[in-house]
Amino acid sequence: MSINYCEKERVFTLQTQNATYQMIVDSHGYLLHCYYGAKIERQNLSYCIQPQDRGFAANPPDAAGDRTLSPDTLPQEYSTFGVGDFRESCLDVRDKNGGVAADLRYGSYRIYPGKKPLNGLPAAYGNEKDVDTLEIDLRDEVSGLVVTLRYSVFAQWDVIARSAEIFNRGTGVLILERALSCCLDEPVPASRDILTFYGRHMGERNLERMPLRHGKFRVDSMRGASSPHYNPFVILCDSAATETAGNCWAFSLVYSGNFIAQAEVDQIDTLRFVMGIAPQNFSWELKPGASFQAPEVLLCFSDYGFDALSNRLNGFQMQHLVRGKYRTERCPILVNNWEATYFDFDEERLLALAREAKEVGIEMLVLDDGWFGERNDDTTSLGDWFVNRQKLPDGLAGFGAKLRALGLQFGLWFEPEMVSPISCLMEQHPDWCLHIPGRENVTSRSQCVLDMGLSAVQEYLFERMSGLIREAKLAYIKWDMNRSITNARSMALPPHRQGEVWHRYILGVYALLERLLNAFPQLLIESCASGGGRYDAGMLYYSPQVWASDNTDAVDRLKIQYGNSFGFPMKTMGSHVSVCPNHQTGRTAPLETRALTAMCGSFGYEMDLTQLSDVEKKQIKAQIELFKHQWQLHQLGEYHRLTDAQNDRWFTAWQVVSEDKSVALVQLVLLAPRANAPVLSVRLRGLQEDAVYEDDGGTRYTGAALMKAGLALPPMRGDYSSIQIEFQRLL
Ligand code: DGJ
């Protein structure tokens, strides 16, 4: 059992393979945080908590003159506002008198093998062998509020899944004005950096690292989706941590809506980190007997740097978060018609594309935007999920049958959460769209947002989508979401409950996704939000493939995929080979390099294959063969970032290794060719030191040599030229 409670000392200890997490219930019933870091056994770590009179601190009524007892200076396991802790709170609760306070003290605990699902929310899963769960109830005697903190320990992966459920066990209505998911207070000062992943449309997941200073540093989203701008995945680390050394902690919110992640260094140099649903414009009415479930946060720890951290967290997500057959199976190699045709297609053009696709070995055609209503550009018809017979005279069923006759599967694009002002749906149901009476809606890409919290909206979308999935025998849908939310007001809620709209929206999205997956368990859903605008652990629960960016330029993709690799499994990353000059950047890169980059993720093509030369077709055929042979390594192997793809100037290199260390691939893309260049070399990782590996040219090296002395490559020439080297361990 990875969870221990010492009754005598009132200490809870969670042990994973390489980490220890410890809390203590103090003599006043505060649940205090002792330690989270590299593994320590048989030790009560509460000596790290040193209560002191910090001068004019707030003391609770039961302090009885003890000025060292203050929630403001003690490391809290779940912080609240109103009773003396002035740092960032997890919980703000307003009672019927208007007062905001919650004084949480220890009540009881339960430990059990396994893990329960979270009501209506995505969450990590596991059976009794994989995970143990600790639940701790904290109570506020005055209001009757109970907070259940849950810690599910996946020891093998060094992951603890934390969440909080808030119950109203009192007699009056309570209003939650914030309800975050987790708090981590370090009792002793340490010099820490934070790594965040900021971005923009077509430039997602840029890693930024900075030292934490006094004050608060936050990334967040108030856009309704987790957003490309900041990601709900961050890392804290020792200031000296590197890819291969040092303590680091990952925090990934299993949620796809508004969020905050905030680190605060306080007056006595200690760190508080909090994460959860963004409190701005959030409120939730909690009637007596009701509860509110805050989303889960995945905590992962490594004392060997970011490389081990990513491999643990990403391996964990593939085993215990991603679901369905594509967790382990290869996703079909697809061609998407978006960059091939945009809105300008008819059945003939699509079938020509399909024939070429089949010829080169592609397995599925994905029909993107523009197949429905009157949609010939992006200004109309969202919501009218009825096929446009001018483009597809035999409907989707007929078109799908033609694809299947060619030997291809059929995938289809939807943007379910949206409605165009010019659409039949808007005419029929203007109230289904989020809007503020008396105020004209703000549009973005000429579209408005449906109120996904409404059951009528969910019903309509389920009926339309499931009908089409069945009728056209769809193997795949691309679920797009192309705008941030404004006018967030729902007709279903009274004025004083409009703070619930944002969260109810996401719950509605999750409910529809879940319902579709229950109805069609084999369906592959690729999530997309103008590219990688909703790439988060929440979506991974429904969607084993996420379109990483609308930027298909291979050289830019190296950076985006590098950023993603810190917190998201490579297999989940939708990645396509597109045409040159690239549509987003105008850059030209060799076809091999474009393929090598796309093979990092769930591989596909997004180009007009009818325009290819015979030589290019041959190359593509070979790429597809190669990917079919190598996909397990690329997608399920250990992944190592050998260079800093966002800052290194000359080349980018990465490596994948099979679980048993018998095969490794090194990939390198030359960013800037140089005359009379210094030797290109990289140090490999994750090999067996004492084994001998042979590369595809027959040269032999020991694992130790490749990892310590490194691999030295012959000179390379040409813009963005690339190389892949395979190493096989000799018996
Ligand atoms: C945005 C997506 O990211 C693209 O791949 C494409 O599907 C367009 N939407 C279609 O409108």
PDB file of all heavy atoms in Angstrom, residues 28 99 115 124 215 221 266 273 301-302 304 323 341-342 369 389 418 440 454 482 486 506 517 533 536 544 587 607 664:
ATOM      1  N   HIS A  28      -4.355  21.472  16.508  1.00  0.00           N
ATOM      2  CA  HIS A  28      -5.590  22.260  16.350  1.00  0.00           C
ATOM      3  C   HIS A  28      -6.450  21.733  15.208  1.00  0.00           C
ATOM      4  O   HIS A  28      -7.473  22.325  14.872  1.00  0.00           O
ATOM      5  CB  HIS A  28      -5.246  23.731  16.107  1.00  0.00           C
ATOM      6  CG  HIS A  28      -4.646  24.371  17.308  1.00  0.00           C
ATOM      7  ND1 HIS A  28      -5.374  25.132  18.195  1.00  0.00           N
ATOM      8  CD2 HIS A  28      -3.381  24.330  17.798  1.00  0.00           C
ATOM      9  CE1 HIS A  28      -4.587  25.539  19.170  1.00  0.00           C
ATOM     10  NE2 HIS A  28      -3.364  25.067  18.952  1.00  0.00           N
ATOM     11  N   GLY A  99     -21.105  36.750   4.645  1.00  0.00           N
ATOM     12  CA  GLY A  99     -19.727  36.630   5.129  1.00  0.00           C
ATOM     13  C   GLY A  99     -18.945  35.601   4.324  1.00  0.00           C
ATOM     14  O   GLY A  99     -19.504  34.591   3.895  1.00  0.00           O
ATOM     15  N   LYS A 115      -9.526   3.615  -7.455  1.00  0.00           N
ATOM     16  CA  LYS A 115      -9.835   5.048  -7.603  1.00  0.00           C
ATOM     17  C   LYS A 115     -11.232   5.188  -8.174  1.00  0.00           C
ATOM     18  O   LYS A 115     -11.585   4.471  -9.107  1.00  0.00           O
ATOM     19  CB  LYS A 115      -8.818   5.683  -8.558  1.00  0.00           C
ATOM     20  CG  LYS A 115      -8.992   7.160  -8.793  1.00  0.00           C
ATOM     21  CD  LYS A 115      -7.906   7.688  -9.716  1.00  0.00           C
ATOM     22  CE  LYS A 115      -7.876   9.207  -9.789  1.00  0.00           C
ATOM     23  NZ  LYS A 115      -8.992   9.794 -10.485  1.00  0.00           N
ATOM     24  N   ALA A 124      -7.982  10.576 -14.229  1.00  0.00           N
ATOM     25  CA  ALA A 124      -7.164   9.374 -14.368  1.00  0.00           C
ATOM     26  C   ALA A 124      -7.937   8.185 -13.800  1.00  0.00           C
ATOM     27  O   ALA A 124      -8.764   8.344 -12.900  1.00  0.00           O
ATOM     28  CB  ALA A 124      -5.855   9.550 -13.615  1.00  0.00           C
ATOM     29  N   GLY A 215       6.027  37.554  -4.511  1.00  0.00           N
ATOM     30  CA  GLY A 215       4.848  37.992  -5.247  1.00  0.00           C
ATOM     31  C   GLY A 215       4.230  36.808  -5.947  1.00  0.00           C
ATOM     32  O   GLY A 215       4.580  35.654  -5.692  1.00  0.00           O
ATOM     33  N   SER A 221      -6.450  31.210 -18.143  1.00  0.00           N
ATOM     34  CA  SER A 221      -7.291  31.434 -19.312  1.00  0.00           C
ATOM     35  C   SER A 221      -8.669  31.858 -18.840  1.00  0.00           C
ATOM     36  O   SER A 221      -9.226  31.280 -17.906  1.00  0.00           O
ATOM     37  CB  SER A 221      -7.416  30.158 -20.148  1.00  0.00           C
ATOM     38  OG  SER A 221      -8.454  30.324 -21.099  1.00  0.00           O
ATOM     39  N   ASP A 266       6.224  34.025  -0.564  1.00  0.00           N
ATOM     40  CA  ASP A 266       5.665  34.944   0.433  1.00  0.00           C
ATOM     41  C   ASP A 266       6.735  35.636   1.259  1.00  0.00           C
ATOM     42  O   ASP A 266       7.933  35.538   0.978  1.00  0.00           O
ATOM     43  CB  ASP A 266       4.638  34.198   1.299  1.00  0.00           C
ATOM     44  CG  ASP A 266       5.298  33.153   2.195  1.00  0.00           C
ATOM     45  OD1 ASP A 266       6.548  33.052   2.193  1.00  0.00           O
ATOM     46  OD2 ASP A 266       4.571  32.429   2.903  1.00  0.00           O
ATOM     47  N   PHE A 273       1.812  26.984  -4.338  1.00  0.00           N
ATOM     48  CA  PHE A 273       1.357  26.790  -5.713  1.00  0.00           C
ATOM     49  C   PHE A 273      -0.106  26.368  -5.661  1.00  0.00           C
ATOM     50  O   PHE A 273      -0.469  25.467  -4.902  1.00  0.00           O
ATOM     51  CB  PHE A 273       2.203  25.720  -6.412  1.00  0.00           C
ATOM     52  CG  PHE A 273       1.720  25.451  -7.812  1.00  0.00           C
ATOM     53  CD1 PHE A 273       2.035  26.318  -8.837  1.00  0.00           C
ATOM     54  CD2 PHE A 273       0.910  24.364  -8.082  1.00  0.00           C
ATOM     55  CE1 PHE A 273       1.556  26.109 -10.122  1.00  0.00           C
ATOM     56  CE2 PHE A 273       0.427  24.141  -9.363  1.00  0.00           C
ATOM     57  CZ  PHE A 273       0.754  25.020 -10.387  1.00  0.00           C
ATOM     58  N   PHE A 301       6.508  13.744 -10.114  1.00  0.00           N
ATOM     59  CA  PHE A 301       7.796  14.200  -9.585  1.00  0.00           C
ATOM     60  C   PHE A 301       8.950  13.423 -10.215  1.00  0.00           C
ATOM     61  O   PHE A 301       8.831  12.230 -10.487  1.00  0.00           O
ATOM     62  CB  PHE A 301       7.833  14.000  -8.064  1.00  0.00           C
ATOM     63  CG  PHE A 301       9.189  14.281  -7.486  1.00  0.00           C
ATOM     64  CD1 PHE A 301       9.616  15.590  -7.303  1.00  0.00           C
ATOM     65  CD2 PHE A 301      10.057  13.242  -7.178  1.00  0.00           C
ATOM     66  CE1 PHE A 301      10.886  15.859  -6.800  1.00  0.00           C
ATOM     67  CE2 PHE A 301      11.328  13.506  -6.673  1.00  0.00           C
ATOM     68  CZ  PHE A 301      11.743  14.812  -6.484  1.00  0.00           C
ATOM     69  N   SER A 302      10.046  14.130 -10.456  1.00  0.00           N
ATOM     70  CA  SER A 302      11.281  13.450 -10.858  1.00  0.00           C
ATOM     71  C   SER A 302      12.453  14.120 -10.162  1.00  0.00           C
ATOM     72  O   SER A 302      12.496  15.349 -10.056  1.00  0.00           O
ATOM     73  CB  SER A 302      11.457  13.540 -12.376  1.00  0.00           C
ATOM     74  OG  SER A 302      12.818  13.538 -12.732  1.00  0.00           O
ATOM     75  N   TYR A 304      15.392  13.404 -11.398  1.00  0.00           N
ATOM     76  CA  TYR A 304      16.381  13.294 -12.472  1.00  0.00           C
ATOM     77  C   TYR A 304      16.015  14.181 -13.653  1.00  0.00           C
ATOM     78  O   TYR A 304      16.136  13.779 -14.803  1.00  0.00           O
ATOM     79  CB  TYR A 304      16.514  11.837 -12.928  1.00  0.00           C
ATOM     80  CG  TYR A 304      17.258  11.003 -11.930  1.00  0.00           C
ATOM     81  CD1 TYR A 304      16.582  10.238 -10.997  1.00  0.00           C
ATOM     82  CD2 TYR A 304      18.649  11.033 -11.893  1.00  0.00           C
ATOM     83  CE1 TYR A 304      17.265   9.508 -10.050  1.00  0.00           C
ATOM     84  CE2 TYR A 304      19.348  10.305 -10.949  1.00  0.00           C
ATOM     85  CZ  TYR A 304      18.646   9.540 -10.030  1.00  0.00           C
ATOM     86  OH  TYR A 304      19.334   8.822  -9.090  1.00  0.00           O
ATOM     87  N   ARG A 323      -8.153   6.826 -23.252  1.00  0.00           N
ATOM     88  CA  ARG A 323      -8.977   5.605 -23.257  1.00  0.00           C
ATOM     89  C   ARG A 323      -9.178   5.091 -24.684  1.00  0.00           C
ATOM     90  O   ARG A 323      -8.830   5.758 -25.649  1.00  0.00           O
ATOM     91  CB  ARG A 323     -10.353   5.915 -22.650  1.00  0.00           C
ATOM     92  CG  ARG A 323     -10.277   6.357 -21.208  1.00  0.00           C
ATOM     93  CD  ARG A 323     -11.655   6.692 -20.664  1.00  0.00           C
ATOM     94  NE  ARG A 323     -12.267   7.813 -21.360  1.00  0.00           N
ATOM     95  CZ  ARG A 323     -13.546   8.160 -21.236  1.00  0.00           C
ATOM     96  NH1 ARG A 323     -14.348   7.480 -20.434  1.00  0.00           N
ATOM     97  NH2 ARG A 323     -14.038   9.196 -21.894  1.00  0.00           N
ATOM     98  N   THR A 341      -7.747  21.557 -50.275  1.00  0.00           N
ATOM     99  CA  THR A 341      -8.849  22.189 -51.027  1.00  0.00           C
ATOM    100  C   THR A 341      -9.468  23.388 -50.318  1.00  0.00           C
ATOM    101  O   THR A 341     -10.192  24.148 -50.931  1.00  0.00           O
ATOM    102  CB  THR A 341     -10.000  21.172 -51.232  1.00  0.00           C
ATOM    103  OG1 THR A 341     -10.582  20.877 -49.954  1.00  0.00           O
ATOM    104  CG2 THR A 341      -9.527  19.878 -51.873  1.00  0.00           C
ATOM    105  N   TYR A 342      -9.230  23.523 -49.018  1.00  0.00           N
ATOM    106  CA  TYR A 342     -10.005  24.446 -48.176  1.00  0.00           C
ATOM    107  C   TYR A 342     -11.497  24.231 -48.471  1.00  0.00           C
ATOM    108  O   TYR A 342     -11.932  23.076 -48.481  1.00  0.00           O
ATOM    109  CB  TYR A 342      -9.527  25.894 -48.338  1.00  0.00           C
ATOM    110  CG  TYR A 342      -8.084  26.041 -47.844  1.00  0.00           C
ATOM    111  CD1 TYR A 342      -7.006  26.108 -48.737  1.00  0.00           C
ATOM    112  CD2 TYR A 342      -7.797  26.047 -46.488  1.00  0.00           C
ATOM    113  CE1 TYR A 342      -5.690  26.200 -48.280  1.00  0.00           C
ATOM    114  CE2 TYR A 342      -6.484  26.140 -46.017  1.00  0.00           C
ATOM    115  CZ  TYR A 342      -5.436  26.210 -46.910  1.00  0.00           C
ATOM    116  OH  TYR A 342      -4.151  26.286 -46.455  1.00  0.00           O
ATOM    117  N   ASP A 369     -13.770  21.059 -42.920  1.00  0.00           N
ATOM    118  CA  ASP A 369     -14.819  22.082 -42.923  1.00  0.00           C
ATOM    119  C   ASP A 369     -15.433  22.269 -44.324  1.00  0.00           C
ATOM    120  O   ASP A 369     -14.722  22.206 -45.325  1.00  0.00           O
ATOM    121  CB  ASP A 369     -14.157  23.390 -42.459  1.00  0.00           C
ATOM    122  CG  ASP A 369     -15.141  24.428 -42.034  1.00  0.00           C
ATOM    123  OD1 ASP A 369     -16.342  24.214 -42.216  1.00  0.00           O
ATOM    124  OD2 ASP A 369     -14.699  25.462 -41.512  1.00  0.00           O
ATOM    125  N   ARG A 389     -25.746  18.835 -50.594  1.00  0.00           N
ATOM    126  CA  ARG A 389     -25.868  17.864 -51.706  1.00  0.00           C
ATOM    127  C   ARG A 389     -25.286  18.402 -53.008  1.00  0.00           C
ATOM    128  O   ARG A 389     -25.048  17.627 -53.933  1.00  0.00           O
ATOM    129  CB  ARG A 389     -27.336  17.477 -51.913  1.00  0.00           C
ATOM    130  CG  ARG A 389     -27.884  16.676 -50.747  1.00  0.00           C
ATOM    131  CD  ARG A 389     -28.296  15.287 -51.178  1.00  0.00           C
ATOM    132  NE  ARG A 389     -28.584  14.500 -49.979  1.00  0.00           N
ATOM    133  CZ  ARG A 389     -28.522  13.191 -49.899  1.00  0.00           C
ATOM    134  NH1 ARG A 389     -28.156  12.484 -50.942  1.00  0.00           N
ATOM    135  NH2 ARG A 389     -28.791  12.554 -48.781  1.00  0.00           N
ATOM    136  N   MET A 418     -20.495  25.476 -31.861  1.00  0.00           N
ATOM    137  CA  MET A 418     -20.682  26.795 -32.476  1.00  0.00           C
ATOM    138  C   MET A 418     -21.948  26.892 -33.299  1.00  0.00           C
ATOM    139  O   MET A 418     -22.508  25.889 -33.744  1.00  0.00           O
ATOM    140  CB  MET A 418     -19.481  27.083 -33.392  1.00  0.00           C
ATOM    141  CG  MET A 418     -18.172  27.092 -32.671  1.00  0.00           C
ATOM    142  SD  MET A 418     -18.082  28.457 -31.484  1.00  0.00           S
ATOM    143  CE  MET A 418     -16.942  27.759 -30.298  1.00  0.00           C
ATOM    144  N   GLU A 440     -25.527  43.291 -28.276  1.00  0.00           N
ATOM    145  CA  GLU A 440     -25.244  42.489 -29.472  1.00  0.00           C
ATOM    146  C   GLU A 440     -24.088  41.549 -29.219  1.00  0.00           C
ATOM    147  O   GLU A 440     -23.126  41.922 -28.542  1.00  0.00           O
ATOM    148  CB  GLU A 440     -24.892  43.420 -30.633  1.00  0.00           C
ATOM    149  CG  GLU A 440     -26.033  43.531 -31.631  1.00  0.00           C
ATOM    150  CD  GLU A 440     -25.617  44.311 -32.852  1.00  0.00           C
ATOM    151  OE1 GLU A 440     -24.877  43.755 -33.668  1.00  0.00           O
ATOM    152  OE2 GLU A 440     -26.044  45.474 -32.950  1.00  0.00           O
ATOM    153  N   LEU A 454     -26.893  23.684 -21.882  1.00  0.00           N
ATOM    154  CA  LEU A 454     -28.319  23.397 -22.094  1.00  0.00           C
ATOM    155  C   LEU A 454     -28.509  21.969 -22.569  1.00  0.00           C
ATOM    156  O   LEU A 454     -27.891  21.544 -23.554  1.00  0.00           O
ATOM    157  CB  LEU A 454     -28.887  24.310 -23.183  1.00  0.00           C
ATOM    158  CG  LEU A 454     -29.115  25.791 -22.874  1.00  0.00           C
ATOM    159  CD1 LEU A 454     -29.767  26.461 -24.070  1.00  0.00           C
ATOM    160  CD2 LEU A 454     -29.989  25.938 -21.641  1.00  0.00           C
ATOM    161  N   ASN A 482     -13.332  26.917 -32.641  1.00  0.00           N
ATOM    162  CA  ASN A 482     -12.522  27.978 -33.237  1.00  0.00           C
ATOM    163  C   ASN A 482     -12.750  29.385 -32.717  1.00  0.00           C
ATOM    164  O   ASN A 482     -12.509  30.347 -33.440  1.00  0.00           O
ATOM    165  CB  ASN A 482     -12.736  27.976 -34.752  1.00  0.00           C
ATOM    166  CG  ASN A 482     -12.007  26.816 -35.404  1.00  0.00           C
ATOM    167  OD1 ASN A 482     -10.843  26.581 -35.119  1.00  0.00           O
ATOM    168  ND2 ASN A 482     -12.697  26.078 -36.243  1.00  0.00           N
ATOM    169  N   THR A 486     -17.386  34.686 -25.458  1.00  0.00           N
ATOM    170  CA  THR A 486     -17.805  35.986 -24.904  1.00  0.00           C
ATOM    171  C   THR A 486     -19.308  35.889 -24.637  1.00  0.00           C
ATOM    172  O   THR A 486     -19.915  34.857 -24.918  1.00  0.00           O
ATOM    173  CB  THR A 486     -17.575  37.122 -25.920  1.00  0.00           C
ATOM    174  OG1 THR A 486     -18.289  36.802 -27.117  1.00  0.00           O
ATOM    175  CG2 THR A 486     -16.097  37.301 -26.236  1.00  0.00           C
ATOM    176  N   ILE A 506     -18.306  23.624 -20.049  1.00  0.00           N
ATOM    177  CA  ILE A 506     -17.322  22.536 -20.225  1.00  0.00           C
ATOM    178  C   ILE A 506     -17.915  21.197 -19.800  1.00  0.00           C
ATOM    179  O   ILE A 506     -17.682  20.172 -20.448  1.00  0.00           O
ATOM    180  CB  ILE A 506     -16.021  22.848 -19.435  1.00  0.00           C
ATOM    181  CG1 ILE A 506     -15.229  23.929 -20.177  1.00  0.00           C
ATOM    182  CG2 ILE A 506     -15.149  21.629 -19.233  1.00  0.00           C
ATOM    183  CD1 ILE A 506     -14.653  23.487 -21.515  1.00  0.00           C
ATOM    184  N   LEU A 517     -18.942   8.672 -27.199  1.00  0.00           N
ATOM    185  CA  LEU A 517     -18.008   7.540 -27.060  1.00  0.00           C
ATOM    186  C   LEU A 517     -18.718   6.295 -26.530  1.00  0.00           C
ATOM    187  O   LEU A 517     -18.362   5.171 -26.897  1.00  0.00           O
ATOM    188  CB  LEU A 517     -16.838   7.911 -26.146  1.00  0.00           C
ATOM    189  CG  LEU A 517     -15.819   8.854 -26.797  1.00  0.00           C
ATOM    190  CD1 LEU A 517     -14.791   9.310 -25.778  1.00  0.00           C
ATOM    191  CD2 LEU A 517     -15.113   8.185 -27.980  1.00  0.00           C
ATOM    192  N   GLY A 533      -5.362  24.738 -29.497  1.00  0.00           N
ATOM    193  CA  GLY A 533      -5.904  25.672 -28.516  1.00  0.00           C
ATOM    194  C   GLY A 533      -6.643  25.026 -27.354  1.00  0.00           C
ATOM    195  O   GLY A 533      -7.139  25.721 -26.473  1.00  0.00           O
ATOM    196  N   ASP A 536      -5.065  19.728 -23.641  1.00  0.00           N
ATOM    197  CA  ASP A 536      -4.912  19.629 -22.193  1.00  0.00           C
ATOM    198  C   ASP A 536      -5.259  18.215 -21.760  1.00  0.00           C
ATOM    199  O   ASP A 536      -5.832  17.438 -22.526  1.00  0.00           O
ATOM    200  CB  ASP A 536      -5.803  20.659 -21.482  1.00  0.00           C
ATOM    201  CG  ASP A 536      -7.247  20.607 -21.950  1.00  0.00           C
ATOM    202  OD1 ASP A 536      -7.883  19.546 -21.763  1.00  0.00           O
ATOM    203  OD2 ASP A 536      -7.751  21.596 -22.520  1.00  0.00           O
ATOM    204  N   PRO A 544      -7.821  10.607 -28.096  1.00  0.00           N
ATOM    205  CA  PRO A 544      -6.443  10.105 -28.075  1.00  0.00           C
ATOM    206  C   PRO A 544      -5.549  10.798 -29.092  1.00  0.00           C
ATOM    207  O   PRO A 544      -4.357  10.494 -29.185  1.00  0.00           O
ATOM    208  CB  PRO A 544      -6.603   8.619 -28.429  1.00  0.00           C
ATOM    209  CG  PRO A 544      -7.947   8.458 -29.003  1.00  0.00           C
ATOM    210  CD  PRO A 544      -8.781   9.650 -28.647  1.00  0.00           C
ATOM    211  N   ARG A 587       7.798  28.697 -46.156  1.00  0.00           N
ATOM    212  CA  ARG A 587       9.109  28.033 -46.122  1.00  0.00           C
ATOM    213  C   ARG A 587       9.093  26.745 -46.953  1.00  0.00           C
ATOM    214  O   ARG A 587       8.070  26.082 -47.077  1.00  0.00           O
ATOM    215  CB  ARG A 587       9.464  27.689 -44.687  1.00  0.00           C
ATOM    216  CG  ARG A 587      10.861  27.139 -44.589  1.00  0.00           C
ATOM    217  CD  ARG A 587      11.333  26.784 -43.197  1.00  0.00           C
ATOM    218  NE  ARG A 587      10.518  27.144 -42.081  1.00  0.00           N
ATOM    219  CZ  ARG A 587      10.956  27.850 -41.029  1.00  0.00           C
ATOM    220  NH1 ARG A 587      12.189  28.298 -40.994  1.00  0.00           N
ATOM    221  NH2 ARG A 587      10.146  28.097 -40.013  1.00  0.00           N
ATOM    222  N   MET A 607      -2.305  17.619 -47.916  1.00  0.00           N
ATOM    223  CA  MET A 607      -1.841  18.258 -49.151  1.00  0.00           C
ATOM    224  C   MET A 607      -2.607  17.652 -50.327  1.00  0.00           C
ATOM    225  O   MET A 607      -3.205  16.577 -50.206  1.00  0.00           O
ATOM    226  CB  MET A 607      -0.338  18.013 -49.328  1.00  0.00           C
ATOM    227  CG  MET A 607       0.039  16.545 -49.212  1.00  0.00           C
ATOM    228  SD  MET A 607       1.653  16.102 -49.888  1.00  0.00           S
ATOM    229  CE  MET A 607       2.787  17.053 -48.981  1.00  0.00           C
ATOM    230  N   ALA A 664      16.800   1.983 -30.904  1.00  0.00           N
ATOM    231  CA  ALA A 664      16.702   3.430 -30.710  1.00  0.00           C
ATOM    232  C   ALA A 664      16.778   4.114 -32.065  1.00  0.00           C
ATOM    233  O   ALA A 664      17.435   3.629 -32.982  1.00  0.00           O
ATOM    234  CB  ALA A 664      17.836   3.918 -29.816  1.00  0.00           C
TER     235      ALA A 664
END
